[in-house]
Amino acid sequence: MAAASEIEEGTVLQPKYDADGIVTAVATDAVTGDLLMVAHMNAEALAKTVASGEAHYYSRSRRKLWRKGEESGHTQRVVEMRVDCDQDAVWLKVEQTGPGACHTGRKSCFYRVVPLGQSGAAKLAFREADKAFDPGGVYKK
Amino acid sequence: MAAASEIEEGTVLQPKYDADGIVTAVATDAVTGDLLMVAHMNAEALAKTVASGEAHYYSRSRRKLWRKGEESGHTQRVVEMRVDCDQDAVWLKVEQTGPGACHTGRKSCFYRVVPLGQSGAAKLAFREADKAFDPGGVYKK
């Protein structure tokens, strides 16, 4: 195992995969800076993203690699990719093709606000209630 | 287990914790929009963040809850909190106190770029090589 200094201050990409072989991937809109989605990558998804400049992720629930947009057409071209200090997360600044990144039909997956200063049950508030596209028409069921 | 429609389109916060009781937490700078860090929360960290408006996280390696800045003084006041479609990730827009969020002494944990269009070993490029503060003087070893 590499020393912390080498991982944090070195120039070698050596992702710290978890027990399931996964790192976290955060995608933001390269133009607006908005957070679009949080997903995951295994080594193959990471390698394909680096090689192609197109975002690839790994679905933990479906246990498969997917190229973002392969079904919806809403691909993500990676403008810049970064890795964090301990190399267990990557940040993709992307050009999002089409109306949105979220499978619910919205631009961003983060369309609901959690109210602060409360204890107990919190009632979420929608920020982007209207859908940018019809997911039923874009994603095969 | 709640139906997908209720989780994605409802107004009840019902985080989807993983097998270790964890959700992903992404913190961005509320002013600049920059991605500061990716961390994790258990139910207690999430509840304390919502109740106090101060970012609390859960360290998987140290297996303990921590209030961001409790050691360094570099606290994060949460300006807005959002939850994603399947409720396994939250987004904190924060006011970062002090010079930086990263324990290495930098503003952001994402201070290295992964070059694209290459296969094989990638040489990381520093974007924020200089440290905003001296981690040795801020964090107890």
Side-chain angles (χ1 to χ4, degrees):
Chain A
M1 189 178 149
S5 60
E6 193 184 312
I7 294 167
E8 295 176 355
E9 302 297 336
T11 58
V12 178
L13 179 63
Q14 41 188 333
K16 193 170 86 184
Y17 297 105
D18 71 9
D20 297 319
I22 299 291
V23 292
T24 304
V26 175
T28 62
D29 187 304
V31 178
T32 65
D34 285 343
L35 180 58
L36 295 175
M37 56 188 281
V38 171
H40 300 88
M41 290 183 177
N42 62 1
E44 187 184 2
L46 185 64
K48 290 197 168 182
T49 301
V50 169
S52 69
E54 293 283 326
H56 292 67
Y57 301 106
Y58 179 79
S59 168
R60 295 182 301 177
S61 56
R62 289 179 290 146
R63 296 187 182 187
K64 70 185 283 276
L65 179 92
W66 52 295
R67 183 174 61 83
K68 176 66 183 168
E70 65 186 7
E71 202 174 302
S72 64
H74 303 164
T75 55
Q76 292 179 338
R77 191 179 76 80
V78 183
V79 175
E80 186 178 271
M81 182 170 174
R82 295 196 182 196
V83 65
D84 77 343
C85 45
D86 59 359
Q87 301 208 25
D88 66 354
V90 295
W91 173 18
L92 310 179
K93 301 181 191 181
V94 304
E95 281 180 4
Q96 175 69 53
T97 305
C102 183
H103 79 286
T104 68
R106 296 174 178 93
K107 186 173 170 241
S108 162
C109 295
F110 293 85
Y111 49 84
R112 286 172 297 181
V113 171
V114 182
L116 300 172
Q118 302 183 356
S119 53
K123 188 170 159 62
L124 305 174
F126 277 82
R127 276 296 174 276
E128 193 185 347
D130 293 339
K131 301 193 175 193
F133 62 94
D134 170 20
V138 166
Y139 292 97
K140 295 185 278 286
K141 292 297 170 186
Chain B
M1 191 178 148
S5 60
E6 193 184 313
I7 294 167
E8 296 176 354
E9 303 296 337
T11 58
V12 178
L13 178 64
Q14 41 190 332
K16 192 170 85 183
Y17 298 104
D18 71 9
D20 297 320
I22 300 290
V23 293
T24 305
V26 175
T28 62
D29 187 303
V31 178
T32 65
D34 285 344
L35 180 58
L36 296 174
M37 55 188 282
V38 172
H40 300 87
M41 290 183 178
N42 63 0
E44 188 184 2
L46 185 64
K48 290 197 168 181
T49 302
V50 169
S52 69
E54 293 285 325
H56 291 68
Y57 301 107
Y58 180 79
S59 167
R60 295 182 299 178
S61 55
R62 291 179 290 146
R63 296 188 182 187
K64 70 184 283 276
L65 179 91
W66 52 294
R67 182 174 61 83
K68 176 66 182 168
E70 65 185 9
E71 201 174 302
S72 65
H74 303 164
T75 55
Q76 292 177 339
R77 191 178 76 81
V78 183
V79 176
E80 186 177 273
M81 181 169 176
R82 295 197 183 195
V83 64
D84 77 342
C85 46
D86 59 0
Q87 301 208 24
D88 66 355
V90 295
W91 172 19
L92 309 181
K93 301 183 190 179
V94 304
E95 279 181 6
Q96 176 70 54
T97 304
C102 183
H103 79 286
T104 68
R106 295 173 177 94
K107 186 175 169 242
S108 162
C109 296
F110 293 84
Y111 48 85
R112 288 173 294 183
V113 170
V114 182
L116 299 172
Q118 301 183 355
S119 52
K123 190 170 158 61
L124 304 175
F126 278 82
R127 277 295 175 276
E128 193 186 348
D130 293 340
K131 302 194 175 192
F133 62 93
D134 170 21
V138 167
Y139 293 97
K140 295 185 277 285
K141 292 295 170 188

